[in-house]
Amino acid sequence: MNLQTLLFFIVILPVMFFGLLIALVVNLVDPTGDRFHRMAAWWGRFCARLLGIDIVISGEENYRKDRNYLVISNHAGMADIPLLLGALHLNLRFVAKEELGRIPLFGWALKQAGYVMIKRGQNREALRSLLNAASVLEQGRSVHIFPEGTRSEDGQLLPFKRGAFMIAQNSRTPILPVTIIGSSAIAPKKSLKIRKGQVRMIIGQPIQTAGKKAAELQEETYRTISANLDTYGNAA
């Protein structure tokens, strides 16, 4: 077991546990989940510093901190969520698997804070739960979705699922495409080992959604993230 993995188990997990206890109370005081998000963003930055993860961000000028977006990114490692929380200056909520919402304490805090729990599959319930994200966007908050549906094992981009872009089509909220490079080496899939290193985030120009169909938005977003992976990944 290396130092980063040890720090994860003896420092980060206990901090997260006690933070979630506090969050349950905070969410009662502030049911909007905005204070929870500020706590989660601090936790994301804390994780990066403690584990020696250097985050290099390109394209911060491409979004406004006072706007809300449907944030779409590739998903290459377990570290993606805390790194996104800490790096993006947005009032952000994540779309998470329904199974996470059943975890005592952790799932309760997420649901209280307005995170969207989604059912897997393509049935009517899955689509209904996914469209709940549109109501979060209508409240002026940003929502993040991993359209691949699972983590890539080698950092290569997987096909995008349609659901995220149905939300974009219905909500007409701009899509903010974010490309993550290097996180598959920090916390690989099917491994508990954590390594220090560098993660690069490329924030693209917002993709306007008004008047566009889900399939068109899906293709445009995939093309943007894929191009950034090719350009910046090869340069890494």
Side-chain angles (χ1 to χ4, degrees), residues 148-160:
E148 294 165 286
T150 187
R151 281 178 282 156
S152 169
E153 293 192 17
D154 56 5
Q156 296 297 311
L157 194 62
L158 301 175
F160 284 0

Side-chain angles (χ1 to χ4, degrees), residues 144-173:
H144 177 280
I145 299 178
F146 293 116
E148 294 165 286
T150 187
R151 281 178 282 156
S152 169
E153 293 192 17
D154 56 5
Q156 296 297 311
L157 194 62
L158 301 175
F160 284 0
K161 298 182 184 298
R162 182 67 57 89
F165 305 96
M166 293 176 62
I167 294 173
Q169 176 184 308
N170 289 325
S171 69
R172 300 189 178 182
T173 304

Side-chain angles (χ1 to χ4, degrees), residues 29-218:
V29 175
D30 177 20
T32 67
D34 292 346
R35 293 185 186 180
F36 176 90
H37 168 69
R38 289 195 288 272
M39 292 173 60
W42 173 88
W43 176 75
R45 292 188 289 271
F46 171 74
C47 289
R49 290 194 194 100
L50 184 68
L51 298 176
I53 302 171
D54 179 33
I55 307 173
V56 178
I57 304 174
S58 305
E60 284 194 288
E61 70 280 2
N62 288 333
Y63 75 101
R64 288 174 46 181
K65 300 174 185 178
D66 60 342
R67 291 286 306 274
N68 70 321
Y69 302 88
L70 178 60
V71 183
I72 299 290
S73 77
N74 59 310
H75 195 13
M78 186 175 65
D80 291 343
I81 292 175
L83 295 182
L84 284 163
L85 281 168
L88 294 179
H89 301 289
L90 294 170
N91 192 355
L92 192 62
R93 307 292 185 272
F94 277 78
V95 170
K97 295 180 292 187
E98 186 187 39
E99 293 86 345
L100 294 178
R102 298 184 187 136
I103 300 174
L105 188 63
F106 181 74
W108 303 338
L110 292 185
K111 287 191 284 189
Q112 279 185 339
Y115 282 54
V116 180
M117 301 294 118
I118 179 174
K119 294 178 179 291
R120 295 189 181 196
Q122 299 295 323
N123 56 37
R124 188 172 299 177
E125 278 191 83
L127 291 175
R128 188 182 301 119
S129 62
L130 191 59
L131 291 174
N132 287 338
S135 66
V136 178
L137 291 167
E138 289 169 3
Q139 294 165 16
R141 291 160 182 89
S142 294
V143 171
H144 177 280
I145 299 178
F146 293 116
E148 294 165 286
T150 187
R151 281 178 282 156
S152 169
E153 293 192 17
D154 56 5
Q156 296 297 311
L157 194 62
L158 301 175
F160 284 0
K161 298 182 184 298
R162 182 67 57 89
F165 305 96
M166 293 176 62
I167 294 173
Q169 176 184 308
N170 289 325
S171 69
R172 300 189 178 182
T173 304
I175 292 172
L176 189 67
V178 177
T179 308
I180 304 172
I181 298 172
S183 66
S184 58
I186 299 291
K189 189 173 183 179
K190 298 180 182 178
S191 173
L192 293 176
K193 190 174 183 179
I194 299 170
R195 305 178 180 92
K196 65 179 180 179
Q198 185 181 93
V199 171
R200 186 160 194 172
M201 289 189 188
I202 301 94
I203 302 170
Q205 290 278 356
I207 297 170
Q208 300 304 317
T209 57
K212 296 179 181 178
K213 298 295 186 182
E216 183 181 356
L217 294 168
Q218 181 180 4

